[in-house]
Amino acid sequence: MPHAWSGPAMEGRGGGGMRRRAPEFRRSSRRRLPGWIWWLVGIFLLVGLMLFVLHHNQKEQFRPPLIDKGSEIEEAHHEKVNFTEELLSSTSFARQLADQMTLAKAYVILAKEHGNLQLAWELSSQIRNCQRLLSEGAVSGRAITQEEAHPIITRLARLIYKAQDSHYDISTTIVTLKSHALALEERAKSAVVQTAEFGQLAAESLPKNLHCLTVKLTEEWLQNPKHRSRSEEHRNSTRLVDNNLYHFAIFSDNVLATSVVVNSTVSNANHPQQLVFHVVTDRINFGAMSTWFLINDFKGCTVEVRCIDEFTWLNAAASPLVRQLSELETQGFYYGDSKNLEREIKFHNPKFVSLLNHLRFYIPQILPNLEKVVFLDDDVVVQKDLTQLFSIELHGNVIGAVETCLESFHRYHKYLNFSHPVISSKIDPHTCGWAFGLNIFDLIAWRKANATGLYHYWQEQNADLLLWRTGTLPAGLLTFYGLMEPLDRRWHVLGLGYDVDIDDRLIESAAVVHYNGNMKPWLKLAIRRYKYIWERYINFSQSYVRECMLH
């Protein structure tokens, strides 16, 4: 089938080959990038790869391992619980701060003494900063860092250098501190002397409540003539000279203390009606003492009260002690104001030289009809039946006593002056000492040995106080030398007036406990641990005791 428009096409194929298309009908050809661009892209990729590899290696190299982190935590915890070790460590900042602060404190004293108050103020300010930083470290439990310590250490170092530049050198510091030490030592000595004086005054004084009791009892004695007549009747009792009974001697001017001794003795006796007490007091307390034992019952025992003034034989002609007390020098030593502080204060106590205290050497004269007597001090408490003491064999000795030489200072050489030939020629310095307070006396052996005459001899020898200073124990050690029978230690436990550490088991097992020392149980300065033993033998419901508020 013929085509209407086939001519030109056919014409183009023949007659010399195919014809090229017009440009608008040609295919679009691909454009290639220039080579320099490809080189630039390759370089960038290579550089980026190198940077990536390098960065990755650096991260691996500087990443902290897990074990280091744990060790830091452990180290921080270790510092928290060992701040004290930080202060002791020679390399820690806390130690440096503490050392600087100590040195600065010394320079504060020196600066004040030299009138440099500005330097003293600056040092004190830095010391407070140092203390504040150390306190914060101690509270938080962390080590002080260099950043915290450096400013304070630097400022303290400058101030210390400034102080040294002001001639506050080590030699000056040593001299100043030495003078301070000497001054403190003198103050300490003075304080010791004052303490001894005040303690002795407290021990010698009579508490207000005991004085109240004495006054009220004396008033009762003066107002009631029946008490005086009853007292005279008791003087004629045959029980006072009956050797089949158990006799006790007490010499005291303290009404309540004597009452405790009597009450504790009868309370622990199997047969209190067989006990007889011979009490001797002074003229001032005679009425009060007599009234007390007349108006109170002590389980049927017999109590005789006598006044020391009745013993007319106790005079200057018969007793060296009475003669010595009449001398002005002796009166000044015991009753005057002694200025010699080198002598122990306690040896100026008039109690040591009172006639009542020395009556123990005159028991045969006071009780001429008796054969055996137990002597009791007024500062003891009885806890067992003492009648068994009367059956102890003394083997011809005069006195039975508990020895006290468990320690070396309780031997004779600690009580007596063995540099004196009168002592050293007759006495063994290593002889064991013993105690007054609870003693059994064989008055028959006493009279045979003339022990009172021996006492007079030694008192004459000690007129100048060169053999012993004072007191009844040294005189007793000499008087009864070679005439003492040791008793079992459980009969007599001492020290409740000065020793706070006595074993409770020893106290419980003791027949008698002794408040020897200045801390008597009736004083405010008594050792509270032992006071109840004494107080349980006081009748606090008694009218006079209640009025004077003794509890």
Side-chain angles (χ1 to χ4, degrees):
M1 183 175 178
H3 299 279
W5 298 97
S6 62
M10 293 301 291
E11 189 175 1
R13 288 179 184 176
M18 297 179 61
R19 294 172 62 185
R20 299 185 64 177
R21 297 178 180 178
E24 57 272 21
F25 298 103
R26 294 178 185 172
R27 296 179 180 176
S28 57
S29 61
R30 296 178 179 176
R31 295 181 179 180
R32 295 182 178 179
L33 295 174
W36 64 272
I37 295 177
W38 288 107
W39 278 104
L40 185 61
V41 171
I43 291 171
F44 276 115
L45 290 174
L46 182 61
V47 171
L49 180 63
M50 292 176 63
L51 290 173
F52 175 80
V53 172
L54 181 61
H55 179 68
H56 180 73
N57 290 338
Q58 287 180 346
K59 284 182 68 178
E60 291 294 329
Q61 180 178 359
F62 292 101
R63 178 183 299 170
L66 182 60
I67 186 171
D68 291 343
K69 185 176 181 179
S71 64
E72 289 178 358
I73 296 174
E74 182 180 356
E75 183 179 357
H77 177 71
H78 181 71
E79 292 177 349
K80 184 175 181 179
V81 297
N82 288 282
F83 188 76
T84 302
E85 293 183 3
E86 281 288 312
L87 290 173
L88 299 176
S89 174
S90 60
T91 58
S92 68
F93 292 108
R95 173 65 179 272
Q96 295 181 42
L97 285 169
D99 291 344
Q100 290 280 72
M101 183 173 62
T102 302
L103 187 58
K105 287 180 178 179
Y107 281 119
V108 167
I109 298 174
L110 293 173
K112 287 181 178 179
E113 287 193 347
H114 289 79
N116 195 342
L117 300 182
Q118 177 65 26
L119 178 60
W121 181 86
E122 293 176 357
L123 285 167
S124 300
S125 177
Q126 294 306 316
I127 289 172
R128 287 193 294 271
N129 293 336
C130 183
Q131 291 173 335
R132 188 181 303 110
L133 182 57
L134 289 174
S135 299
E136 292 174 356
V139 171
S140 62
R142 60 178 177 81
I144 296 176
T145 63
Q146 181 179 0
E147 291 77 10
E148 295 172 322
H150 181 71
I152 298 177
I153 293 177
T154 301
R155 287 192 289 269
L156 276 175
R158 290 174 180 173
L159 290 172
I160 291 173
Y161 177 78
K162 184 178 178 181
Q164 292 174 342
D165 193 46
S166 300
H167 304 291
Y168 305 155
D169 53 6
I170 298 299
S171 60
T172 304
T173 304
I174 292 174
V175 172
T176 303
L177 293 179
K178 185 177 180 180
S179 64
H180 276 286
L182 292 175
L184 289 174
E185 185 177 355
E186 289 299 321
R187 290 175 61 184
K189 289 181 179 179
S190 176
V192 169
V193 173
Q194 289 181 354
T195 301
E197 289 178 345
F198 294 150
Q200 194 61 51
L201 286 174
E204 296 172 18
S205 63
L206 185 68
K208 181 173 64 175
N209 47 14
L210 293 185
H211 179 69
C212 167
L213 180 64
T214 302
V215 170
K216 288 187 175 296
L217 290 172
T218 303
E219 184 181 7
E220 175 74 17
W221 171 263
L222 296 174
Q223 292 179 351
N224 196 336
K226 292 182 180 180
H227 294 325
R228 294 191 289 275
S229 60
R230 287 181 60 194
S231 177
E232 290 297 328
E233 291 176 5
H234 287 177
R235 295 284 188 92
N236 300 321
S237 174
T238 58
R239 293 170 57 87
L240 300 178
V241 293
D242 188 350
N243 282 296
N244 294 317
L245 302 177
Y246 303 101
H247 295 265
F248 299 84
I250 306 172
F251 309 131
S252 173
D253 57 0
N254 189 323
V255 175
L256 195 64
T258 306
S259 174
V260 169
V261 177
V262 173
N263 193 23
S264 62
T265 305
V266 299
S267 297
N268 293 281
N270 295 328
H271 303 285
Q273 299 84 359
Q274 299 180 7
L275 273 55
V276 180
F277 293 88
H278 304 269
V279 178
V280 180
T281 187
D282 56 18
R283 179 171 49 189
I284 296 174
N285 295 279
F286 175 72
M289 190 80 74
S290 299
T291 303
W292 179 262
F293 287 105
L294 287 172
I295 65 176
N296 293 287
D297 178 64
F298 292 92
K299 296 189 177 182
C301 72
T302 301
V303 180
E304 175 197 25
V305 179
R306 301 178 69 180
C307 178
I308 193 173
D309 292 349
E310 299 175 20
F311 307 140
T312 55
W313 45 264
L314 190 61
N315 50 51
S319 171
L321 178 64
V322 176
R323 186 165 58 253
Q324 291 165 10
L325 285 176
S326 63
E327 297 175 358
L328 294 177
E329 184 179 354
T330 306
Q331 292 178 1
F333 180 82
Y334 289 106
Y335 300 99
D337 295 329
S338 176
K339 303 299 182 182
N340 186 5
L341 296 180
E342 294 181 359
R343 302 182 71 95
E344 293 187 40
I345 300 297
K346 68 177 183 179
F347 292 111
H348 292 273
N349 186 354
K351 186 99 175 173
F352 279 115
V353 75
S354 71
L355 286 178
L356 277 178
N357 214 30
H358 283 255
L359 280 184
R360 65 194 68 189
F361 297 105
Y362 297 98
I363 292 178
Q365 288 84 351
I366 298 171
L367 305 171
N369 298 311
L370 298 183
E371 297 175 356
K372 275 192 176 182
V373 171
V374 168
F375 167 76
L376 295 171
D377 265 333
D378 64 357
D379 55 353
V380 304
V381 174
V382 178
Q383 301 186 126
K384 309 289 183 185
D385 185 8
L386 296 186
T387 58
Q388 300 178 21
L389 272 174
F390 291 84
S391 61
I392 292 178
E393 177 59 51
L394 297 183
H395 301 99
N397 290 311
V398 175
I399 181 175
V402 171
E403 293 182 321
T404 57
C405 59
L406 294 178
E407 297 84 10
S408 61
F409 59 84
H410 281 148
R411 296 188 181 273
Y412 269 46
H413 64 85
K414 291 298 181 179
Y415 297 100
L416 304 169
N417 178 20
F418 276 86
S419 64
H420 199 289
V422 175
I423 296 289
S424 58
S425 62
K426 299 180 180 181
I427 307 296
D428 180 4
H430 300 290
T431 304
C432 186
W434 45 267
F436 275 127
L438 168 70
N439 306 101
I440 175 70
F441 287 107
D442 184 342
L443 300 185
I444 297 176
W446 182 310
R447 297 181 183 99
K448 183 178 179 180
N450 190 23
T452 302
L454 293 174
Y455 164 72
H456 287 165
Y457 167 79
W458 288 114
Q459 280 292 138
E460 290 280 6
Q461 295 296 317
N462 194 45
D464 50 6
L465 301 180
L466 292 179
L467 303 187
W468 70 89
R469 286 175 285 191
T470 189
T472 57
L473 182 56
L477 295 177
L478 292 172
T479 300
F480 302 111
Y481 180 69
L483 301 173
M484 192 276 297
E485 180 71 19
L487 301 179
D488 189 287
R489 187 187 179 195
R490 290 172 295 181
W491 278 109
H492 189 192
V493 172
L494 299 103
L496 277 70
Y498 67 89
D499 189 354
V500 298
D501 294 321
I502 303 176
D503 193 334
D504 289 332
R505 294 169 298 180
L506 185 60
I507 293 176
E508 292 174 1
S509 65
V512 171
V513 291
H514 195 169
Y515 292 83
N516 58 311
N518 282 340
M519 300 180 183
K520 302 299 184 186
W522 55 83
L523 300 175
K524 287 186 177 180
L525 49 80
I527 301 174
R528 186 173 297 274
R529 179 187 166 202
Y530 310 131
K531 196 168 184 178
Y532 78 96
I533 303 174
W534 189 78
E535 288 185 337
R536 65 189 177 191
Y537 293 104
I538 299 175
N539 181 13
F540 290 103
S541 62
Q542 207 275 343
S543 58
Y544 289 129
V545 174
R546 191 169 59 250
E547 288 179 26
C548 294
M549 297 180 295
L550 284 167
H551 188 44

